[in-house]
Amino acid sequence: MPAVFIPVWSTGFIVARYGMPHSPPLAFLSVRYALSVLCFLMWIAWARPAWPRGRAQWGHLAVSGVLMHGGYLGGVWAAVKAGMGAGTIALLVGLQPVLTAVWLSRQGASHKVSPRQWLGLGLGLMGLLLVVWHKLGAGEVTRGNLALAVLALLSITAGTLYQKRFVGPCDVRTANTIQLAAALVVTLPFVPFEPGSVDAHPHLIGAMAWSVIGLTVGGSSLLYMLIQRGAATQVTSLMYLVPPCTALMAWVLFSEPVTATMVVGMVLIAGAVALVVRAPAAAA
């Protein structure tokens, strides 16, 4: 799953580059959530999977959906719309593995982050800096877009930890439907207050189609299953691989340069993720 998830998730900034000039961020995301819910409902009607049992499970899914979709995507897209460069926000959101490890390390021995994993997290952060450093001047950082980026970072980190802690095993299709519906409920009321209007440009239509089918139905489902099956530190460490993968895509699609420093950063990140996700020798 990680081999598929990372390339799919990495297209998020590519989609933003195509779509954001033609729509306010929350209006775009609201349509994306609504269409995604519709796709999942059609899939559910055909496959008839079981819905989560109990109000508590529905409530936990709603909270995680608000954090992982509404807060994270809303913060990222609004920050990009407000002028923050892709490299800058990738660096900020890329702090998620470190933030997750710090939180878990304070929860007791049962969630202890090993020295090897701390080493991997540190190397990953160094590699991430090398990959995105040349892009840090691409957009101005203001108090407003910095606050939006921090909101996105805190939301995806809290959402991952919350889902791992409180959401029990359930079907990914019904779970995603509840999460997206909750994100739509909290996002839609803010749409009338956004400046600008939606322009049905071909780039916007293409960005919307991929956002729904590729990123939400595909990427979010994979992320849900990865969180359900893996340790939180291991899953979030995979996010280190997103900026290098995005940089390679931008090189192919937009001829953005890939420097020797970036290649070194990518190698560091690959090694860092291997250190974090590798099982201890005694666990064979």
Side-chain angles (χ1 to χ4, degrees):
M1 286 191 295
V4 178
F5 168 75
I6 295 302
V8 170
W9 200 257
S10 299
T11 60
F13 287 116
I14 305 299
V15 166
R17 179 165 178 172
Y18 275 116
M20 287 305 296
H22 309 289
S23 173
L26 297 185
F28 182 96
L29 290 173
S30 294
V31 176
R32 171 179 168 175
Y33 299 148
L35 292 176
S36 300
V37 168
L38 180 61
C39 288
F40 275 117
L41 287 176
M42 291 190 294
W43 192 0
I44 291 168
W46 175 75
R48 300 187 180 279
W51 287 87
R53 296 182 178 181
R55 293 182 179 179
Q57 193 67 202
W58 281 64
H60 292 320
L61 283 167
V63 171
S64 61
V66 168
L67 291 170
M68 299 181 69
H69 294 286
Y72 169 65
L73 290 176
V76 167
W77 285 61
V80 172
K81 186 72 172 181
M84 180 171 285
T88 305
I89 195 166
L91 172 61
L92 291 171
V93 178
L95 295 174
Q96 182 197 356
V98 177
L99 202 60
T100 301
V102 170
W103 173 263
L104 291 176
S105 67
R106 299 176 64 88
Q107 304 306 303
S110 60
H111 298 88
K112 186 177 180 180
V113 180
S114 69
R116 187 195 73 247
Q117 289 179 315
W118 278 117
L119 175 61
L121 290 166
L123 287 176
L125 184 57
M126 290 174 56
L128 184 62
L129 284 167
L130 290 174
V131 171
V132 303
W133 188 261
H134 73 290
K135 296 183 177 181
L136 291 181
E140 295 183 359
V141 177
T142 65
R143 291 182 180 180
N145 58 27
L146 180 60
L148 291 167
V150 172
L151 170 66
L153 168 62
L154 295 177
S155 293
I156 188 66
T157 304
T160 301
L161 293 169
Y162 188 94
Q163 179 171 315
K164 187 64 182 175
R165 173 67 177 84
F166 293 106
V167 176
C170 52
D171 187 87
V172 65
R173 294 159 291 190
T174 55
N176 255 321
T177 302
I178 297 169
Q179 289 180 325
L180 290 163
L184 177 60
V185 168
V186 300
T187 302
L188 198 58
F190 295 97
V191 172
F193 302 101
E194 286 188 300
S197 59
V198 177
D199 173 25
H201 191 277
H203 285 179
L204 180 68
I205 296 172
M208 181 64 71
W210 178 249
S211 292
V212 172
I213 303 299
L215 288 171
T216 304
V217 176
S220 295
S221 298
L222 287 170
L223 179 60
Y224 179 91
M225 290 187 287
L226 285 168
I227 294 173
Q228 192 174 62
R229 299 182 184 186
T233 306
Q234 294 175 331
V235 174
T236 55
S237 70
L238 296 175
M239 294 299 181
Y240 274 147
L241 296 172
V242 172
C245 192
T246 302
L248 291 175
M249 290 180 181
W251 172 61
V252 173
L253 296 173
F254 307 119
S255 299
E256 293 186 5
V258 175
T259 64
T261 302
M262 293 173 63
V263 173
V264 173
M266 294 176 191
V267 172
L268 277 177
I269 290 171
V273 173
L275 283 174
V276 174
V277 303
R278 183 171 60 87

